[in-house]
Amino acid sequence: MPDRTRTGTGTRRPVERGLGWLRLPLIGAFGFLYLPIAVLVVMSFNASSIPFVWTGFSLQWYPTLASNPQVLQGLLNTLVVAVAATVGATILGTLLAVGLARYTRSVLLEAYSLAPAIIPDLVLAIGLLILFTSIGLTLSLFSVVLAHIVFGMAFVAAVVTARIGQTDPSLEEASRDLGATGPTTFLRITVPSLAPAIIAGALLVFTLSLDEFVIAFFTDGPRTPTLPIVIYSMVRFGVTPEINALGALLLLVSFTVVLAAQRITRLTDAL
Amino acid sequence: MTSMAATPLIRIRGVGKRYGSVTALADVSLDIHHNEFFALLGPSGCGKTTLLRAIAGFEDPDEGSITLTTGDTQPADAGEVDLLALPPNRRPVNLMFQSYALFPHMTVSANIAYGLEREGLARSEIARRVADVLVTVDLQDKASARPRQLSGGQRQRVALARAIVKRPKVLLLDEPLSALDRRVRADMQVELKRLQHEVGITFVVVTHDQEEAMSMADRIAVMEHGRISQIADPVTLYQRPVSAAVADFIGMSTIIPGQAAVDGFTALGERLPAAPSGVIGPALLVIRPEDVRLHADDPTDAAMGSLSGTVLATHFFGGTSTTTVTVAGLGRPVLATQIGPPAHRIGAVVRVGWPAERAIVLPDTP
């Protein structure tokens, strides 16, 4: 480690230099993380219809995908679910976080509010299925939306709770002190000061709902499959480059949204 | 201010507040007068902030009353409002928070206008009053800045402007200067005092800094363990403290435990000069450093008090200097302040004395 001391003059982040071969695990870990995804994206441009034999570059699978009515309908269903679940989960999750912060000091209650985000999807899915059938709710996109709101609001609550912890509690008191009523304070002070976290939480729920399979599989009706369910049924007859193309597109959407969420949370820290 | 004493602006009677087994406030009664600069002074946890928040409406006392005189200072049209019956947003008082609590997503002028908008005033009226108050706090050029772009002193002035623009009957200030660095703090002390005169609003300041309270306030309530120890103007508080705790908290002092009798005060087997007090039994003698005189030890000088000690340390502050003297038998050293550089060297043996009328005798009640 000859140049260990040369940490660079004027570098703001202290990045270790001169690690040499010690960088290998880092590169290896990233390779392990992204190799499958890279393979999928590369293979979506494969001319051959056999998905694991590369014969040449082609964009043909993307138009093919766009003309598949099954896929288009699945995409539409998924978007409906994702938007509705995002709206519902964001509103309820924000209220949950604010309520928890304001009216309880119970750590247990806070943990319970986050549980749906952590407990196995399968458990939540089976529980929701039993609940929906026992109250006589017909399984449809509506039941998927309800199910996605359940775990989605836990994620929103987690993000917003973290933000509340960083917010000056006297902001709301100052608003009251200046003559604002409770509702005015909530809309003019509480929501704007939490807005970055609320938006980040919403984007998170949107991406999670977009590719959620297990819970949707259990709570969806047979005539309105969401995109992950459509893909699943296609894969049962073999993986085609068409599915690779679809995966690549979903990846693009998720990446964009996650980056946006991260960007927004970083903006708020500057505030 | 003579006639105003009859109708206090705020009347606090028997206010108590407990959190579980902790008593935050116990039987607090005090009057705050019109146009007064009043300070609540005490160490952290003494209940001063709880009392301030009770006036603002963010704490609900378990017992007692807080009333506000409305109308003018003439007793004829003066009515009393029960503050405790009103929610914080309907009380004619405003609180300046310790953190300033500026709304980060609003500009300076939007912050200031917020309270006026809640009153439903016309836009033109709001704009005029915001512009006026920005001049008062000298922040005209920062109207469209965001709070995070301002310095600490500027933020404090915005918080102040946001509160006074509402023209409250009383402005409550929670540790208004604690977030500022030392140099800005001195400027803001002067500034706060000037503003209070200019806007003619009663100020109630909570502080743990006795110098701050002494330099700004007309009257000070010293609080301890949720109780009021003494309410007085700064000079009385300094010269006539009612307890050793108050004496110890306000300014520097040397406190000597001993016995008081009709004919004087005795400690360490010696009769010490002391002002007549009427205290009999265990007592404490309080002397301020500037009253203590030090003389090179000369056994023939019988006129000087009979205590003698050794100079432990000297501190020169430019205009004045402080000499610390250890006296055998006293738990704490005696402090002596004088004008100019220290006159005795470390290790020198000196006689310690003071004029009898400057030494206060207080009952020693634990």
Side-chain angles (χ1 to χ4, degrees):
Chain A
M1 282 173 264
D3 55 357
R4 205 159 176 182
T5 46
R6 245 175 45 201
T7 40
T9 48
T11 6
R12 271 202 261 148
R13 257 174 53 191
V15 177
E16 290 264 347
R17 289 187 183 201
L19 280 172
W21 57 272
L22 281 175
R23 277 193 200 164
L24 276 177
L26 178 71
I27 296 162
F30 260 95
F32 188 67
L33 273 176
Y34 282 96
L35 202 59
I37 295 171
V39 167
L40 176 133
V41 175
V42 169
M43 284 305 176
S44 74
F45 299 109
N46 190 357
S48 158
S49 65
I50 303 159
F52 18 81
V53 181
W54 180 265
T55 54
F57 181 82
S58 163
L59 284 172
Q60 59 166 316
W61 300 109
Y62 287 86
T64 317
L65 189 67
S67 58
N68 184 335
Q70 228 189 328
V71 168
L72 288 181
Q73 187 57 46
L75 181 66
L76 185 67
N77 289 342
T78 284
L79 286 178
V80 167
V81 169
V83 169
T86 300
V87 171
T90 304
I91 294 172
L92 292 176
T94 302
L95 293 178
L96 177 64
V98 171
L100 275 174
R102 193 172 304 168
Y103 300 111
T104 78
R105 272 184 210 149
S106 158
V107 182
L108 200 64
L109 217 57
E110 202 176 298
Y112 277 130
S113 78
L114 306 181
I118 302 160
I119 57 172
D121 284 354
L122 201 57
V123 176
L124 193 61
I126 295 169
L128 284 163
L129 178 62
I130 296 171
L131 177 69
F132 289 157
T133 6
S134 63
I135 60 170
L137 184 80
T138 318
L139 297 184
S140 64
L141 285 185
F142 178 67
S143 52
V144 182
V145 169
L146 286 184
H148 280 190
I149 287 177
V150 170
F151 74 81
M153 66 185 278
F155 279 100
V156 173
V159 178
V160 175
T161 300
R163 174 77 184 174
I164 290 175
Q166 297 169 10
T167 315
D168 181 2
S170 36
L171 286 184
E172 292 182 356
E173 285 184 345
S175 167
R176 296 278 282 158
D177 186 69
L178 292 166
T181 57
T184 308
T185 299
F186 184 76
L187 292 176
R188 294 281 315 264
I189 305 301
T190 314
V191 171
S193 59
L194 299 178
I198 296 172
I199 294 167
L203 293 177
L204 189 62
V205 174
F206 187 78
T207 52
L208 289 174
S209 171
L210 211 57
D211 66 350
E212 201 288 320
F213 174 72
V214 177
I215 294 170
F217 189 71
F218 275 76
T219 54
D220 201 357
R223 262 172 293 170
T224 52
T226 60
L227 195 56
I229 297 173
V230 171
I231 296 175
Y232 172 68
S233 51
M234 286 165 78
V235 170
R236 280 195 299 181
F237 304 107
V239 181
T240 67
E242 199 179 348
I243 288 168
N244 287 339
L246 187 57
L249 287 177
L250 278 177
L251 207 64
L252 188 69
V253 173
S254 295
F255 263 37
T256 312
V257 173
V258 167
L259 282 179
Q262 220 181 13
R263 191 72 196 274
I264 284 164
T265 9
R266 203 170 303 158
L267 273 181
T268 70
D269 293 341
L271 208 79
Chain B
M1 278 193 215
T2 45
S3 67
M4 293 169 187
T7 47
L9 180 60
I10 290 187
R11 202 194 297 268
I12 298 170
R13 288 292 176 272
V15 166
K17 174 78 185 172
R18 272 169 299 277
Y19 301 104
S21 60
V22 181
T23 304
L25 292 173
D27 193 25
V28 170
S29 297
L30 60 93
D31 289 338
I32 298 165
H33 302 299
H34 288 272
N35 293 331
E36 193 170 33
F37 200 125
F38 193 90
L40 295 168
L41 174 65
S44 60
C46 72
K48 56 192 192 306
T49 299
T50 308
L51 182 60
L52 195 79
R53 290 172 56 82
I55 302 173
F58 298 115
E59 298 287 348
D60 221 359
D62 300 327
E63 62 210 14
S65 69
I66 302 178
T67 55
L68 181 92
T69 307
T70 57
D72 271 322
T73 48
Q74 276 73 29
D77 58 6
E80 284 209 328
V81 180
D82 178 10
L83 275 191
L84 295 182
L86 296 174
N89 50 322
R90 295 189 43 214
R91 296 190 186 193
V93 301
N94 282 112
L95 173 58
M96 200 183 99
F97 290 82
Q98 185 170 8
S99 64
Y100 306 147
L102 299 180
F103 306 134
H105 56 287
M106 295 184 190
T107 63
V108 166
S109 50
N111 262 283
I112 298 171
Y114 187 82
L116 298 176
E117 285 163 5
R118 305 282 82 75
E119 290 176 29
L121 297 178
R123 274 173 182 278
S124 56
E125 165 81 357
I126 294 176
R128 194 181 56 74
R129 275 170 67 173
V130 169
D132 283 354
V133 82
L134 280 172
V135 173
T136 310
V137 297
D138 195 25
L139 282 175
Q140 301 93 303
D141 53 333
K142 296 286 179 197
S144 50
R146 299 273 172 157
R148 77 187 128 90
Q149 298 167 320
L150 303 178
S151 71
Q154 289 169 334
R155 282 178 206 188
Q156 200 235 23
R157 300 213 298 272
V158 175
L160 202 59
R162 190 175 69 175
I164 59 177
V165 79
K166 297 265 293 174
R167 296 177 188 159
K169 290 265 180 191
V170 182
L171 178 60
L172 310 167
L173 302 99
D174 188 3
E175 300 277 4
L177 306 175
S178 64
L180 304 176
D181 62 51
R182 211 181 170 78
R183 262 188 44 240
V184 185
R185 207 182 305 168
D187 290 345
M188 285 311 294
Q189 279 185 17
V190 180
E191 185 68 9
L192 272 183
K193 192 81 183 148
R194 176 187 73 81
L195 265 172
Q196 196 249 341
H197 275 285
E198 197 173 309
V199 296
I201 296 174
T202 302
F203 275 29
V204 180
V205 174
V206 153
T207 178
H208 67 276
D209 183 334
Q210 52 99 10
E211 264 176 51
E212 204 172 290
M214 297 284 276
S215 67
M216 294 194 296
D218 299 317
R219 283 195 310 147
I220 299 170
V222 181
M223 292 184 70
E224 229 189 329
H225 306 304
R227 291 175 187 280
I228 290 185
S229 310
Q230 188 172 8
I231 304 174
D233 62 276
V235 176
T236 309
L237 214 51
Y238 189 78
Q239 293 182 341
R240 296 268 161 257
V242 296
S243 69
V246 172
D248 206 22
F249 196 67
I250 306 286
M252 307 278 280
S253 56
T254 298
I255 299 175
I256 301 173
Q259 286 287 329
V262 187
D263 57 344
F265 181 87
T266 320
L268 307 172
E270 306 273 356
R271 163 88 34 104
L272 298 180
S277 64
V279 177
I280 306 284
L284 299 168
L285 188 74
V286 177
I287 322 128
R288 298 296 184 182
E290 64 272 20
D291 293 327
V292 175
R293 300 279 170 270
L294 301 178
H295 290 265
D297 199 20
D298 178 3
T300 59
D301 187 4
M304 270 308 293
S306 42
L307 287 184
S308 70
T310 314
V311 175
L312 180 70
T314 57
H315 298 277
F316 182 48
F317 299 106
T320 61
S321 58
T322 298
T323 307
T324 311
V325 180
T326 45
V327 174
L330 281 186
R332 293 201 320 195
V334 177
L335 299 176
T337 303
Q338 66 191 96
I339 291 170
H344 305 278
R345 266 180 303 156
I346 294 171
V349 176
V350 291
R351 279 185 172 256
V352 181
W354 52 83
E357 73 275 10
R358 309 291 287 179
I360 313 149
V361 178
L362 297 168
D364 188 3
T365 46

